Amino acid sequence: MRQNTHFSVYLALAVVILAASACRLGAPPATPEAPATERPAATPSPLTPATQVPPTFTPLPSDTPLPSDTPEPLPSSREGAWYGQTSQETDFEINVKGDQVVYFNVSYLGQKGSCFFSGGFGDSVEAPIVGDQFTIDWKDSDGNEAHITGTFTSDGQASGTADYIDNVREVCDKTMHLTWNALSPAAIAAGTPIAPPAALPAAGLNGQWEGENADGNQVLFEVVDEQITYVSFNFSVSTGGCSLSGFMGQSPDELAMITGKSFSVEIKDSDGRLFTFAGSFTSDTEASGTIHMQGVEGAFCGAFDDEMTWTAEKSLPEEPLSQPTEAAGPPTGTLAVTDPIVIVQGFFDAYNAGDIDAALAFVDDAVIFKPDPARTIMNKGDLKTFLIAQQQKGITYTLSGLSALDDSMVEFSATLSDGTTYAASHAMLTDGLIDMLILQ
C-alpha cells in the first residue's frame, strides 16, 4: 500500500509542473471551437487565349543562296549570232545574249558620183530587247554615227534598218540608209533561206531612171541626193559619110546638181569626144532630154556636132546603179570598146552564157586571177581550166555596184550562185584587157 501512495504523489506533482511550464511559455488559453461555416464555391475565371511564340530561326550565312520556288530562266532561243544581208547585198550580223543585243557589224558598199566606197562598222553594245524590238545608237571615236533598228519574228528571222552618218567625209560622204534581214542560229542550222531585204522607196527624184533614146537603145542614169551620179547610154552618129556608134557609161568627174528640175552632165571618151547628157524632170517619175555629141579632129569621123533625144521613167532603187544586163555589142567603125565597166561586165556575161572563149577574149594572156584568198591563177590557160570547172559545178556570177575609178580600174561586188559574196572585188585593165581580177 505504501508504494501506491508514492505513485499518486508523483503523479500530482507532474501535473503541477506541466501547468507551470505552460504558463511560462505564454500559450494562449484554449478557445472554444467556432461552429463550422460552409465555404463558398470558387468562381471560374475566363480563359485567356494562348499566346503564339514565334519560332526562332538561325540566319544562313550571307554567301549561301536562299532557296527559291522560281525556276531559273531558260536560255533564250534568240541567243547567239544572227547573220544576214543588207539591201546592198553586203553582210549583216548581230549577237544576242539574254535580253540584249551585245554586238553588231554592218558591211557596206556604195557609190556617190565618181566616189566608190566599201567597208564596215560595228562594235560591242548593250541594246535591250523590249518585246520583239531593239534599237542601237552608236558613235565611233571619229564622230561617225549609226542608228540600227530591228524586229524579231517567231520563225527565227529578224529585219530592220541601218543608218550610217559620215561626219568625217575624208574622201567622200558615205552617209547611207540600208535595210537588212537576218536569221537566228537555229534557222541557219535548219537551212532556212533568207528573204531579201525590203527595197528602199525612192524619195523625190532620188533613184534609178531607165528609158531609151531616139534609136530605141537603152538610157540609164541615177539620182542621189538631188545629184546625177551615173549615166549610161548607146549612141550613133552619121556625118559626112562616116558612121560611128558606141556605148558610154560612167560617173561624171563633177557631180551635176539638179537645178529647177533640170540638169546637164558632161563626160568624155578615151578619144576626147564630148558627150553632154542633159534633161529635165516633168514629174517625180518622168524625165526627158538630149544627148549632145561632139567629135574631135584626129579621132574616127573627125570633128562633128550631133544630137539625139531620150525619155526615161524612175524605178525603185535596190542598189547602186550597175551596167545594163544586156551590154551593147562592139560598136561599128573603128571605135573599140574602151569603157572598163563594159569590159568587166562582158567577161562575166559571156561566162554566165556558157561561152568561155568569148569570156577569155576580155582578158590578157598573162592575166592574174584570184578567185578566193587561198588561190591565185597566173595565166589565161589556167584561167580557162578554172572557168570550165566552175561551169561544170553550175556556178554563175551576179555583179552589182560596178564603178570605174579610171580607165584602168573597176570596183564591184560579185555574188556567186552558191551564195558566196565578194563585196570588195576589183579588176585592173591595160589597153582594154583585164590583166588582174581579184574577188574578195
Side-chain angles (χ1 to χ4, degrees), residues 347 350-351 353-361 383-385 387-389 391:
F347 168 82
Y351 165 81
D355 193 343
I356 292 178
D357 288 334
L360 294 173
L383 174 58
K384 182 175 183 177
T385 301
L387 293 179
I388 291 173
Q391 194 175 76

Side-chain angles (χ1 to χ4, degrees), residues 140-390:
D140 68 11
S141 58
D142 295 325
N144 299 310
E145 302 174 60
H147 179 75
I148 300 171
T149 64
T151 301
F152 297 99
T153 60
S154 59
D155 59 353
Q157 302 200 45
S159 61
T161 62
D163 291 281
Y164 181 77
I165 302 173
D166 182 4
N167 291 320
V168 178
R169 305 183 185 183
E170 293 179 345
V171 178
C172 55
D173 183 5
K174 298 190 289 290
T175 298
M176 68 193 81
H177 174 70
L178 310 173
T179 60
W180 59 268
N181 277 0
L183 297 176
S184 68
I188 294 172
T192 304
I194 186 168
L200 297 173
L205 300 178
N206 293 342
Q208 298 176 13
W209 294 72
E210 181 175 357
E212 60 183 30
N213 62 21
D215 293 337
N217 290 317
Q218 191 177 51
V219 170
L220 293 170
F221 65 96
E222 181 182 41
V223 180
V224 176
D225 296 334
E226 306 300 315
Q227 299 178 92
I228 307 299
T229 60
Y230 184 87
V231 296
S232 69
F233 52 85
N234 287 71
F235 67 91
S236 61
V237 176
S238 181
T239 176
C242 181
S243 296
L244 173 68
S245 63
F247 171 84
M248 291 294 295
Q250 61 184 262
S251 298
D253 292 334
E254 295 184 7
L255 300 188
M257 293 296 299
I258 299 171
T259 305
K261 299 293 185 179
S262 298
F263 66 90
S264 180
V265 178
E266 292 186 349
I267 56 177
K268 290 184 177 182
D269 66 11
S270 58
D271 291 324
R273 299 181 184 89
L274 177 64
F275 298 83
T276 303
F277 186 83
S280 60
F281 299 93
T282 56
S283 70
D284 282 354
T285 58
E286 295 181 336
S288 60
T290 59
I291 303 171
H292 190 84
M293 302 164 284
Q294 293 177 284
V296 294
E297 294 290 349
F300 184 71
C301 286
F304 61 82
D305 194 302
D306 203 353
E307 189 172 273
M308 61 196 313
T309 60
W310 60 265
T311 59
E313 295 182 351
K314 185 175 68 175
S315 58
L316 289 178
E318 297 181 356
E319 55 189 291
L321 190 61
S322 62
Q323 204 59 34
T325 54
E326 295 183 5
T332 59
T334 60
L335 180 65
V337 177
T338 59
D339 188 276
I341 291 179
V342 176
I343 295 169
V344 173
Q345 184 72 64
F347 168 82
F348 286 98
D349 284 350
Y351 165 81
N352 289 338
D355 193 343
I356 292 178
D357 288 334
L360 294 173
F362 290 92
V363 305
D364 187 79
D365 289 338
V367 64
I368 297 174
F369 179 54
K370 196 171 183 62
D372 56 64
R375 185 174 184 182
T376 300
I377 295 170
M378 301 298 293
N379 58 65
K380 184 184 287 189
D382 290 342
L383 174 58
K384 182 175 183 177
T385 301
F386 175 83
L387 293 179
I388 291 173
Q390 290 288 89

Side-chain angles (χ1 to χ4, degrees), residues 24-41:
R24 285 196 302 270
L25 292 172
T31 303
E33 185 175 346
T37 60
E38 187 173 341
R39 175 176 290 182

